[in-house]
Amino acid sequence: MYGVCGCCGALRPRYKRLVDNIFPEDPEDGLVKTNMEKLTFYALSAPEKLDRIGAYLSERLIRDVGRHRYGYVCIAMEALDQLLMACHCQSINLFVESFLKMVAKLLESEKPNLQILGTNSFVKFANIEEDTPSYHRSYDFFVSRFSEMCHSSHEDLEIKTKIRMSGIKGLQGVVRKTVNDELQANIWDPQHMDKIVPSLLFNLQHVEEAESHLDNHSLWEPKVFAIRCFKIIMYSIQPQHSHLVIQQLLSHLDANSRSAATVRAGIVEVLSEAAVIAATGSVGPTVLEMFNTLLRQLRLSIDYVLTGSYDGAISLGTKIIKEHEERMFQEAVIKTIGSFASTLPTYQRSEVILFIMSKVPLPSLHHPMETGRTGENRNRLTQIMLLKSLLQVSTGFQSNNMMSALPSNFLDRLLSTALMEDAEIRLFVLEILISFIDRHGNRHKFSTISTLSDISVLKLKVDKCSRQDTIFMKKHSQQLYRHIYLSCKEETNIRKHYEALYGLLALISIELANEEVVVDLIRLVLAVQDVAQVNEENLPVYNRCALYALGAAYLNLISQLTTVPAFCQHIHEVIETRKKEAPYMLPEDVFVERPRLTHNLDGVVIELLFRQSKISEVLGGSGYNADRLCVPYIPQLTDEDRLSKRKSIGETISLQVEVESRNSPEKEERVPTEEITYETLKKAIVDSVAVEEQERERRRQVVEKFQKAPFEEIAAHCGARASLLQSKLNQIFEITIRPPPSPSGTITAAYGQPQNHSIPVYEMKFPDLCVY
């Protein structure tokens, strides 16, 4: 009998004999390496035998597991691992089926060592990039089994930890193996994620719980845990799939828009961390979607604060909000907007800036504001939150071209908010402008207003004004100057406003200034000095002192930047005089915690003022435009003042029209005072708007005429206007060259009316004193 068996054994298939030869008589001796090399060579030479080799190894492993011969089990798995690493042919799929069958057998075992052994083999397999697609492979069992291992409750702490770690590694291997395989079931499907995510969270948390969904166990509120969890997820997946996580978080935030503020804040902060990680890869079309969702959440939070509930009305069973928690949520949203925007390229950041600005409610003809007390509060809170977001986005923004950084449509909307009554909103606008203009990191050097005798200690970074910057200032400089001037006149300004105004003036001088800009800035600051001196606005003493001090600090800076000795000397002399006689006109006494002011600012002597005539003289001698320096700065009023300012319409439209006749007292008649009614005011506003529209239409027609009309017609039109102008000039010259009435007296014309008789200049007789 034994002889027959030995004879038949030699007739067994070669692959079986090669498989049997890798197993030693004593399992402790380990895999027979020489025989394993023979088996590997055979598998590579005859890849069609791989499926049979796998099936036979699987048969032996199952038999050895049943007989508790675990040494041979380990040898079989080692052999399988080596064959997987060596073979990448088209027949590998059938071999993999046998391999996965053996791994599943080990994972089903109650022995922790076998579970860990099976997991390690699966992880090695997951790291292999297969050359051929797999059509019939399923990993559902492995997702379920590895998830169960993550929740192991083994009584031995060390063994429990090993099993749980193996479960996590196994899930990681499943995700790695399936996420890039289009033929596999989508690993992001809820049936898989509902097992994977709780398993990961369960092991991240230090509290023993049966299941650990973020929502069910309030894990969004201790934000550290949730952030750590999603960081692991974001760093574990492929960069091109990171936007899927972002979209899921955005959807989850929308779904929980009526949850407690602490929960929403936790989701937002997790979104912030995930978005920053995703931005290093591929965010795709989710950029504006993310900002739109966050801005929508801001508006909802504002409504919750105003109404006091999540349902818009307070009733029995309604959850009452906590205002301080909503404020924390709003700050979290703003921080997220800023942190994500900081990772975007310049062109995307510019789009986000325009997008946010378009959401700010502004008082204009085309953007009506909500009315009523609640509407006004909602408008104000929305403006503040969006401007805060805009400030976060603009911080650190770098652009070589100011025309693209501050396009007209954006700058117009931004500056219109600079004229609002709310001091906080005006401050935000100034800080946003500073963020955009500061391209060399100089802003922090002007955080304190002072009159330094040597500004070289500031170590300013100054570059020559570029051509693009010059074009920008030619187009927008007067608009900027006007808003700076009007901002200086605000009665509600505090120290922070003056510091921001000083920083803005200084940064314009450093970043955007040429000789023309320097001249205009000096004129502007001298006009601000006149505001403090004349005080037509009836400003408080502090505001007037602050304007004097602001002018001193800026002129001290610009004089040293221009390096004109005579200019520096004049500024220095005035500052020294103020130090001795009026320190309350200098920043060192005004912009401190306890300002040292005077009780009376009337009758300021000329020695304490910076004189426009003197500055024009000294700068004119150095090549600056002295004629322009001599002209006082006067801002032009525009539609913005009527639309943005809170002044009543009665301050800009005359309420009563009273016309007195200039006839003799006997014939004097008085036109009755016009009665002012609601209809009168309405008509005045409508008429002014109509006039504006007519003026715009007239300008459009003129431009269109010059663009489309024939040259002969344009020449004829201009010739007619020239003739008319010459006629008017001749009349003016005829009047002006006539001398005063003759000293010889007057002549009497008809109707008894006295009439002056003019004598030509060449016939007049002048006294001897007039002869040279």
Side-chain angles (χ1 to χ4, degrees):
M1 176 70 68
Y2 292 106
V4 174
C5 290
C7 180
C8 293
L11 299 177
R12 299 178 66 201
R14 184 181 178 190
Y15 72 88
K16 287 189 177 183
R17 285 186 279 118
L18 290 174
V19 170
D20 290 336
N21 290 339
I22 67 173
F23 292 92
E25 294 184 2
D26 186 356
E28 293 184 0
D29 294 337
L31 183 68
V32 180
K33 294 183 179 180
T34 56
N35 291 338
M36 184 65 213
E37 292 174 359
K38 294 178 182 179
L39 177 62
T40 304
F41 179 78
Y42 177 77
L44 292 172
S45 303
E48 69 277 2
K49 301 292 186 180
L50 260 178
D51 59 327
R52 299 183 182 182
I53 294 173
Y56 185 57
L57 274 171
S58 175
E59 179 184 336
R60 285 204 56 152
L61 182 138
I62 294 173
R63 185 176 67 232
D64 290 335
V65 169
R67 295 176 179 178
H68 305 289
R69 300 169 64 180
Y70 301 126
Y72 288 121
V73 171
C74 295
I75 293 174
M77 292 307 301
E78 185 179 354
L80 283 169
D81 294 341
Q82 292 190 23
L83 287 174
L84 276 174
M85 298 297 294
C87 302
H88 295 282
C89 59
Q90 295 181 353
S91 303
I92 191 71
N93 279 330
L94 295 176
F95 176 74
V96 169
E97 294 301 323
S98 300
F99 168 79
L100 294 178
K101 184 178 179 181
M102 287 184 280
V103 171
K105 184 65 177 179
L106 295 179
L107 294 178
E108 289 175 344
S109 172
E110 296 181 358
K111 298 291 183 179
N113 290 339
L114 295 184
Q115 297 176 17
I116 296 172
L117 177 63
T119 302
N120 292 339
S121 292
F122 183 85
V123 171
K124 292 177 184 178
F125 161 70
N127 291 322
I128 297 175
E129 294 185 5
E130 300 181 54
D131 298 331
T132 55
S134 56
Y135 295 93
H136 305 290
R137 197 180 301 166
S138 174
Y139 296 97
D140 292 354
F141 166 79
F142 296 98
V143 172
S144 300
R145 183 56 186 149
F146 287 136
S147 298
E148 290 178 14
M149 291 171 64
C150 289
H151 292 82
S152 173
S153 56
H154 198 280
E155 57 185 13
D156 189 298
L157 179 61
E158 183 178 356
I159 294 177
K160 178 175 67 176
T161 303
K162 289 182 178 180
I163 294 176
R164 289 186 178 185
M165 287 297 297
S166 294
I168 294 173
K169 290 179 181 179
L171 288 176
Q172 189 179 32
V174 172
V175 172
R176 183 181 295 114
K177 198 65 179 175
T178 58
V179 74
N180 293 323
D181 193 342
E182 297 180 356
L183 298 176
Q184 295 300 321
N186 189 357
I187 197 64
W188 302 107
D189 286 346
Q191 60 176 345
H192 301 307
M193 285 291 108
D194 287 346
K195 299 174 182 177
I196 295 175
V197 173
S199 301
L200 296 176
L201 299 181
F202 181 81
N203 286 275
L204 284 172
Q205 191 181 20
H206 296 293
V207 179
E208 291 295 333
E209 293 175 337
E211 47 180 273
S212 301
H213 291 287
L214 287 174
D215 294 327
N216 293 346
H217 295 278
S218 303
L219 297 181
W220 292 110
E221 297 179 31
K223 292 164 276 192
V224 175
F225 169 70
I227 290 173
R228 189 195 313 168
C229 167
F230 275 89
K231 273 188 174 181
I232 293 174
I233 294 175
M234 294 300 294
Y235 282 120
S236 298
I237 63 177
Q238 296 293 331
Q240 61 267 29
H241 297 109
S242 57
H243 68 280
L244 298 174
V245 179
I246 301 295
Q247 289 176 337
Q248 291 294 325
L249 284 169
L250 290 173
S251 300
H252 195 67
L253 181 60
D254 277 337
N256 286 271
S257 58
R258 293 190 177 185
S259 299
T262 52
V263 172
R264 284 178 282 131
I267 299 175
V268 166
E269 294 207 14
V270 169
L271 184 61
S272 174
E273 296 290 341
V276 171
I277 297 172
T280 60
S282 173
V283 182
T286 61
V287 175
L288 288 183
E289 178 189 349
M290 176 177 178
F291 285 100
N292 193 34
T293 299
L294 293 174
L295 295 180
R296 182 168 61 249
Q297 291 297 323
L298 268 182
R299 289 193 295 270
L300 287 174
S301 179
I302 291 171
D303 288 339
Y304 297 157
V305 171
L306 292 174
T307 59
S309 73
Y310 297 115
D311 303 321
I314 300 177
S315 60
L316 293 177
T318 300
K319 291 196 296 185
I320 306 300
I321 67 146
K322 297 178 181 178
E323 185 171 342
H324 73 280
E325 291 182 352
E326 289 296 333
R327 300 293 184 198
M328 291 174 59
F329 168 71
Q330 292 164 8
E331 293 299 326
V333 172
I334 293 171
K335 177 184 174 183
T336 299
I337 289 174
S339 61
F340 182 42
S342 64
T343 65
L344 297 176
T346 302
Y347 75 94
Q348 277 190 327
R349 206 165 175 181
S350 299
E351 291 178 0
V352 170
I353 288 170
L354 293 174
F355 179 74
I356 296 176
M357 193 67 224
S358 68
K359 301 293 184 180
V360 179
L362 298 177
S364 68
L365 294 174
H366 306 291
H367 297 84
M369 304 275 283
E370 293 189 48
T371 57
R373 185 172 182 83
T374 303
E376 291 175 0
N377 290 335
R378 181 177 288 105
N379 289 330
R380 178 183 179 275
L381 290 175
T382 303
Q383 289 164 351
I384 290 176
M385 289 299 122
L386 293 179
L387 289 175
K388 275 187 177 181
S389 303
L390 196 58
L391 180 59
Q392 286 284 335
V393 176
S394 62
T395 301
F397 181 74
Q398 296 290 333
S399 177
N400 295 327
N401 189 349
M402 290 303 297
M403 293 292 292
S404 60
L406 293 172
S408 298
N409 56 342
F410 171 78
L411 189 61
D412 292 342
R413 289 181 62 84
L414 179 64
L415 290 179
S416 65
T417 60
L419 302 178
M420 291 184 176
E421 181 179 10
D422 194 287
E424 188 177 5
I425 290 177
R426 297 199 310 271
L427 183 59
F428 280 131
V429 175
L430 293 174
E431 291 176 345
I432 290 169
L433 286 173
I434 288 173
S435 295
F436 278 108
I437 296 176
D438 179 30
R439 293 172 294 184
H440 293 87
N442 289 316
R443 63 178 299 178
H444 68 279
K445 300 173 184 177
F446 303 113
S447 58
T448 301
I449 308 179
S450 63
T451 53
L452 289 173
S453 58
D454 183 9
I455 63 170
S456 63
V457 298
L458 297 177
K459 298 180 180 180
L460 299 174
K461 298 177 182 178
V462 183
D463 283 341
K464 185 178 180 181
C465 183
S466 65
R467 181 175 177 272
Q468 291 86 353
D469 293 342
T470 301
I471 295 174
F472 172 80
M473 290 304 290
K474 282 186 176 294
K475 184 175 183 180
H476 297 294
S477 60
Q478 296 303 320
Q479 191 180 11
L480 287 171
Y481 302 154
R482 174 176 171 274
H483 282 82
I484 292 174
Y485 177 80
L486 295 177
S487 296
C488 289
K489 297 171 66 175
E490 293 292 343
E491 185 178 346
T492 55
N493 284 346
I494 58 175
R495 176 180 171 182
K496 288 184 177 180
H497 290 86
Y498 296 112
E499 290 174 345
L501 286 166
Y502 173 68
L504 182 58
L505 288 168
L507 288 170
I508 292 176
S509 305
I510 292 174
E511 296 281 354
L512 305 172
N514 51 27
E515 289 189 0
E516 182 180 345
V517 173
V518 169
V519 168
D520 285 343
L521 287 173
I522 293 173
R523 292 173 57 224
L524 171 62
V525 173
L526 292 174
V528 170
Q529 178 181 257
D530 292 340
V531 171
Q533 182 183 11
V534 179
N535 197 26
E536 291 181 350
E537 306 290 330
N538 294 320
L539 295 174
V541 172
Y542 173 79
N543 296 65
R544 296 177 66 188
C545 290
L547 293 181
Y548 280 127
L550 175 64
Y554 176 73
L555 290 174
N556 175 70
L557 173 69
I558 197 67
S559 65
Q560 296 186 54
L561 288 175
T562 57
T563 64
V564 177
F567 184 29
C568 294
Q569 182 180 356
H570 172 65
I571 303 302
H572 178 71
E573 289 174 354
V574 175
I575 290 176
E576 290 300 316
T577 305
R578 288 187 180 184
K579 286 181 179 179
K580 296 176 182 178
E581 302 179 13
Y584 49 83
M585 299 174 70
L586 293 174
E588 287 77 9
D589 275 38
V590 177
F591 302 118
V592 291
E593 186 175 350
R594 293 183 179 180
R596 297 177 287 275
L597 308 177
T598 182
H599 297 291
N600 186 11
L601 273 175
D602 296 331
V604 176
V605 296
I606 194 171
E607 288 78 10
L608 298 175
L609 300 176
F610 301 101
R611 301 191 296 280
Q612 191 154 6
S613 58
K614 179 66 175 179
I615 295 175
S616 303
E617 176 186 346
V618 296
L619 287 181
S622 298
Y624 289 85
N625 190 338
D627 294 336
R628 190 174 181 86
L629 275 168
C630 291
V631 179
Y633 172 78
I634 300 176
Q636 297 180 352
L637 298 180
T638 66
D639 295 343
E640 276 182 303
D641 299 304
R642 176 170 57 80
L643 295 172
S644 299
K645 293 291 283 186
R646 59 279 183 198
K647 306 289 187 184
S648 65
I649 198 69
E651 295 181 58
T652 53
I653 300 176
S654 177
L655 292 179
Q656 293 186 345
V657 180
E658 186 176 306
V659 181
E660 296 184 2
S661 121
R662 295 189 179 182
N663 295 333
S664 62
E666 292 81 8
K667 297 182 180 180
E668 182 178 16
E669 295 180 1
R670 185 179 299 273
V671 178
T673 302
E674 182 181 355
E675 183 180 0
I676 301 302
T677 63
Y678 169 77
E679 293 297 329
T680 307
L681 293 174
K682 180 179 179 181
K683 183 176 182 299
I685 296 174
V686 173
D687 289 346
S688 63
V689 174
V691 171
E692 293 169 2
E693 294 295 333
Q694 292 175 2
E695 180 64 18
R696 291 194 188 97
E697 179 63 21
R698 187 188 68 79
R699 292 178 181 175
R700 188 192 63 78
Q701 292 175 356
V702 170
V703 172
E704 183 177 0
K705 179 178 181 180
F706 276 87
Q707 288 177 341
K708 299 181 179 180
F711 175 77
E712 293 79 6
E713 181 180 342
I714 296 175
H717 176 72
C718 294
R721 294 192 62 181
S723 301
L724 179 60
L725 175 62
Q726 187 62 45
S727 174
K728 296 295 183 183
L729 287 174
N730 291 337
Q731 295 179 17
I732 294 171
F733 291 151
E734 183 181 354
I735 294 172
T736 55
I737 64 174
R738 289 181 179 177
S742 171
S744 60
T746 60
I747 60 175
T748 303
Y751 308 109
Q753 295 293 332
Q755 182 176 5
N756 291 330
H757 177 69
S758 297
I759 300 175
V761 175
Y762 57 83
E763 293 182 2
M764 291 186 65
K765 295 181 179 180
F766 295 94
D768 294 339
L769 293 176
C770 296
V771 180
Y772 291 90

